[in-house]
Amino acid sequence: MSDSLDRLLEHVRQQASACEALGSPFYAALLTRLAEDLEAGGPSLAVLEGHADRPGPDAVALRLLGAAHRLALSRRSPELAAHFPSTGGDGDPESAWVALRSLLDARPAELREGLELAPQTNETGRAAALLGALLQVAGPEPVRLWEIGASAGLNLLADRFRYRAADGQSWGRGSPVELDPAWDAVPEGAPERLEVVERVAGDVSPVDPTSAEGALRLESFVWPDQLERLERLRGALELAREVPVRRERATAPELLDALELVEGTLTVVWHSVMWQYVPREQQERTSARIEELGTRASSTARFAHIAFEPRRLAPGAPHRFVVSVRQWPAGEERILGEAPPHGAPVRWGPPEP
């Protein structure tokens, strides 16, 4: 067995373990079968040939399953749709694997084409972290929201979602998107509503959620047995057709180069679980631009940077998904809380040891 195939097998098995840990036993089972097929030289090997040396963050395994999921969602593969929970199927992973293996053998070109699309779910559960942080820094002034690595920009609609807390309280009005539970408690002092006057999304590969193709792409990367996530996404797609968002094809530093603060507003730059995919040089430019904007902030033109990203809280410690905020003119960072990778529920307060 070649070294490249060894690395591919390791990637697929690691992704299977990750799906199991993150609540998708259906994908965990499919990926386990995929690894076995690869090792045995089955049809999956021909489909993935030439992709074995791609880095782990490219998520080749999820690209392949995303391509299969698109065929099921669009009913271009009724055999798969019969077993995918997201399409009303029986949820039987063994039967789904039989259908997928047949597809790998009979229609490899369609699946290989899907390997060019990076996974983009635009996870709406992460709005719980982003919006919850915003509620803790918002004042009476209008809010301008700019998001880097925004995918389709659905989380820029976060103020239009409804959030329920584990203590029985809630924030927001009726909405097709409801996060329950979103938080352990509604953030103390949260305003009843926000006035968002600008929504700008930047991404190197933006998705138009108002188009049929864009919506299908986003749905295809939600794991098919996580129906609650899929329902939230579809609710956000409904909102996206009603609420204008300016979407730009831009790297993070390119987007922020066009941002200036405005008197009488709170300008917010936020992002979630994207920083590790940004090249180091772009990270440095983005951080420098955020610092520069911070130096221009004042009590009448405030600025905040909100992030929900994995980080090590101590040298050698495991990564934790934490909600952080810096607001200017002071510029001090605070860690507000911690959440699972998909964003909800958030536990406010310093991360526990």
Side-chain angles (χ1 to χ4, degrees):
M1 188 179 295
S2 68
D3 290 344
S4 59
L5 180 56
D6 277 342
R7 287 192 294 272
L8 182 60
L9 277 169
E10 182 181 8
H11 163 68
V12 173
R13 287 169 176 152
Q14 287 178 343
Q15 189 61 64
S17 297
C19 287
E20 185 70 46
L22 293 173
S24 180
F26 183 79
Y27 261 11
L30 282 185
L31 288 167
T32 298
R33 289 293 196 182
L34 179 67
E36 293 170 354
D37 187 73
L38 279 169
E39 193 167 27
S44 60
L45 183 59
V47 172
L48 292 173
E49 186 177 8
H51 295 270
D53 290 322
R54 295 176 72 158
D58 276 8
V60 170
L62 292 183
R63 290 177 187 233
L64 177 61
L65 290 188
H69 197 191
R70 274 190 296 284
L71 294 176
L73 287 164
S74 61
R75 305 293 171 169
R76 290 164 57 200
S77 174
E79 299 81 8
L80 278 179
H83 305 296
F84 274 48
S86 53
T87 52
D90 59 21
D92 178 12
E94 291 303 317
S95 298
W97 167 247
V98 172
L100 177 56
R101 192 179 190 280
S102 176
L103 198 66
L104 288 162
D105 190 40
R107 296 157 66 180
E110 290 179 77
L111 294 171
R112 283 183 67 87
E113 184 179 349
L115 296 177
E116 300 308 314
L117 290 181
Q120 285 181 286
T121 61
N122 207 174
E123 179 54 55
T124 50
R126 292 172 184 151
L130 298 172
L131 192 281
L134 176 55
L135 292 177
Q136 297 180 60
V137 300
E141 70 269 61
V143 177
R144 304 166 66 221
L145 285 179
W146 286 53
E147 183 172 9
I148 56 176
S151 185
L154 297 181
N155 282 329
L156 288 167
L157 309 173
D159 60 303
R160 301 297 184 98
F161 301 171
R162 183 170 177 81
Y163 303 82
R164 295 189 182 276
D167 65 1
Q169 301 298 309
S170 64
W171 189 92
R173 302 174 183 177
S175 171
V177 182
E178 184 169 296
L179 282 72
D180 183 12
W183 310 309
D184 55 357
V186 175
E188 186 176 351
E192 289 187 8
R193 63 183 299 274
L194 295 170
E195 181 187 2
V196 179
V197 295
E198 188 176 32
R199 306 170 199 266
V200 180
D203 197 275
V204 294
S205 182
V207 177
D208 179 4
T210 66
S211 70
E213 181 59 33
L216 178 62
R217 178 176 178 178
L218 294 171
E219 290 182 12
S220 73
F221 285 119
V222 175
W223 300 343
D225 51 343
Q226 297 191 333
L227 300 182
E228 184 178 356
R229 291 178 63 205
L230 189 60
E231 182 181 359
R232 290 199 305 256
L233 171 61
R234 288 171 173 164
L237 292 172
E238 180 182 329
L239 284 173
R241 292 188 284 270
E242 302 171 0
V243 182
V245 172
R246 193 173 95 224
R247 296 176 179 86
E248 302 283 351
R249 184 178 299 275
T251 64
E254 287 171 346
L255 186 75
L256 297 190
D257 281 346
L259 174 62
E260 298 294 344
L261 306 187
V262 174
E263 281 290 321
T265 68
L266 166 62
T267 300
V268 176
V269 170
W270 74 20
H271 52 90
S272 60
V273 194
M274 55 74 69
W275 194 248
Q276 68 263 40
Y277 304 114
V278 178
R280 176 63 61 85
E281 180 268 338
Q282 292 184 24
Q283 287 183 351
E284 293 172 352
R285 286 174 54 199
T286 301
S287 297
R289 178 58 177 161
I290 287 172
E291 293 287 348
E292 182 182 6
L293 288 166
T295 65
R296 301 180 184 182
S298 68
S299 60
T300 56
R302 294 196 300 132
F303 175 55
H305 172 215
I306 294 171
F308 175 61
E309 297 286 350
R311 66 162 72 176
R312 298 184 192 275
L313 299 181
H319 284 90
R320 311 272 291 271
F321 287 78
V322 297
V323 190
S324 64
V325 63
R326 290 183 71 189
Q327 54 181 322
W328 286 265
E332 294 181 1
E333 183 185 59
R334 291 183 292 148
I335 294 181
L336 300 179
E338 183 176 11
H342 289 147
V346 180
R347 188 193 67 80
W348 300 117
E352 296 177 346

